[in-house]
Amino acid sequence: MAGRRGYAKLKNDFYLNGKVKELRVVCPSAVGAFVFAIAYCSDNLTDGRIPDRDLRYVLGVTDEEINALCKVELLEPDGNSGYVIHDYTEHNSRRDQVEKSRERNAENYRKRRFNRDSTATHRDESELNRTKHKNTRTQEHLPDNKSPNPPTGADADRQPVREPSSDEAAQFRQFWSLYPNHDYPDAAVREFKRVLRRTGTERVNLVALLQGAQMLRDEQRDPRYIPAASKWLHDGGWKNKPKPRARQPDRQASRAQQNQDANAALIARYVQEEIPQIPRKEIPAC
């Protein structure tokens, strides 16, 4: 059967039609049966034809209603165990018209999607080229009043939050480049889209997500102790307050150095045990 996405049509002056007004007098329920029949034909793209079996057992139209509809000529026997709605195709689309319309819509959708994807690809390539050009600029290429001052202090580890993209895939790439823990990327994509599609009072701004991810990066914690992005997004992690930077542990001696020191201490103890003790000499009293 055809899809349920569509509409049947009735003329605005349907209630003034003489045949309909006659039905309201002789068999009022037949008016509803006639509307059911129109909807059935539109839904199944039958061009106004209804098998007798479907008319009786799918739509539940009674013999009395069928006879009344045939008497006023809103329904006509087709001579093949079925019926035809009178002038159906004059007011409703034929099957071939609906199928052509669907093909046009599908083709337009493919073109729009291709253009959107091509635009996003071109934008990403342009951004990459600008970045490569920016990174290869030397001192003589810079304006006289500009100098390549390197970032210092806390800014050295901070990645600037770029202007949010309007493309959903590009938006996630921006977020993913900032978030420290890259476990479960597929789940992160699904949760990222779900969060951004919130509406009303629960609507979330992309900038808030980017800033939250940057905040986690600035804490410089071990990614193993940072929740996966999908859980962080589900729990509203971007609302958390920033935490102080993780203290960097003092650098410890290597394993080889520790073994060397332990061996040296052990040798020193063995040497101390092997040296004979020199007995004290008794000095006679004068």
Side-chain angles (χ1 to χ4, degrees):
M1 297 179 67
R4 297 304 193 261
R5 298 178 62 182
Y7 301 91
K9 299 176 184 177
L10 287 176
K11 293 183 63 177
N12 288 345
D13 61 352
F14 175 78
Y15 67 99
L16 296 176
N17 184 280
K19 297 178 180 180
V20 174
K21 295 174 73 173
E22 181 179 346
L23 278 180
R24 292 187 59 193
V25 175
V26 299
C27 185
S29 63
V31 177
F34 180 66
V35 174
F36 272 35
I38 292 176
Y40 172 93
C41 294
S42 177
D43 189 27
N44 294 276
L45 302 179
T46 65
D47 294 344
R49 292 177 173 80
I50 313 175
D52 179 74
R53 186 180 184 85
D54 287 358
L55 185 64
R56 296 176 184 277
Y57 302 112
V58 175
L59 302 182
V61 182
T62 65
D63 289 338
E64 180 185 3
E65 293 166 342
I66 294 175
N67 293 333
L69 288 169
C70 290
K71 184 176 181 180
V72 298
E73 297 180 348
L74 286 177
L75 206 62
E76 302 170 357
D78 65 358
N80 190 25
S81 301
Y83 297 88
V84 178
I85 296 177
H86 182 70
D87 290 342
Y88 174 86
T89 55
E90 291 187 10
H91 309 294
N92 287 272
S93 300
R94 299 189 308 272
R95 183 186 189 93
D96 61 325
Q97 294 173 330
V98 173
E99 290 177 345
K100 289 181 180 179
S101 176
R102 288 176 178 175
E103 290 176 2
R104 286 196 303 269
N105 292 339
E107 181 64 23
N108 291 336
Y109 173 79
R110 285 192 293 268
K111 289 180 179 179
R112 289 196 301 270
R113 183 171 182 177
F114 175 79
N115 292 336
R116 183 174 67 247
D117 293 344
S118 299
T119 302
T121 302
H122 178 71
R123 182 169 57 246
D124 292 343
E125 291 177 351
S126 299
E127 179 66 24
L128 178 61
N129 291 333
R130 286 196 297 270
T131 303
K132 290 170 62 178
H133 178 66
K134 180 179 179 180
N135 292 340
T136 55
R137 296 176 73 184
T138 57
Q139 179 66 42
E140 59 269 19
H141 294 135
L142 294 172
D144 295 338
N145 61 343
K146 297 288 184 179
S147 60
N149 296 326
T152 58
D155 293 335
D157 298 325
R158 173 182 287 271
Q159 295 186 8
V161 177
R162 294 181 297 174
E163 186 69 20
S165 171
S166 59
D167 179 64
E168 200 169 58
Q171 289 174 348
F172 178 76
R173 288 196 295 272
Q174 286 180 267
F175 169 78
W176 199 241
S177 66
L178 294 174
Y179 197 81
N181 187 339
H182 285 182
D183 291 340
Y184 312 111
D186 293 342
V189 170
R190 291 193 297 270
E191 195 62 31
F192 181 82
K193 292 179 179 179
R194 189 188 66 80
V195 169
L196 281 187
R197 289 172 184 173
R198 292 179 181 176
T199 58
T201 57
E202 296 184 353
R203 184 177 180 181
V204 179
N205 193 329
L206 174 62
V207 175
L209 300 183
L210 298 181
Q211 290 176 345
Q214 181 66 63
M215 178 185 69
L216 278 180
R217 177 178 288 274
D218 291 344
E219 293 175 5
Q220 296 185 345
R221 287 191 286 156
D222 189 330
R224 293 177 299 174
Y225 303 111
I226 293 177
S230 56
K231 177 173 175 51
W232 184 82
L233 290 165
H234 181 271
D235 295 343
W238 64 90
K239 303 175 186 177
N240 296 339
K241 295 181 179 179
K243 299 177 182 178
R245 284 193 173 196
R247 180 184 176 188
Q248 299 296 328
D250 296 335
R251 183 162 186 166
Q252 298 180 352
S254 66
R255 184 66 173 257
Q257 183 64 43
Q258 293 176 3
N259 292 339
Q260 185 176 352
D261 293 344
N263 291 337
L266 186 61
I267 293 172
R269 183 164 62 85
Y270 287 157
V271 170
Q272 191 70 24
E273 292 175 352
E274 292 294 331
I275 297 177
Q277 298 294 329
I278 301 175
R280 295 182 180 179
K281 293 183 178 179
E282 296 290 338
I283 301 177
C286 298

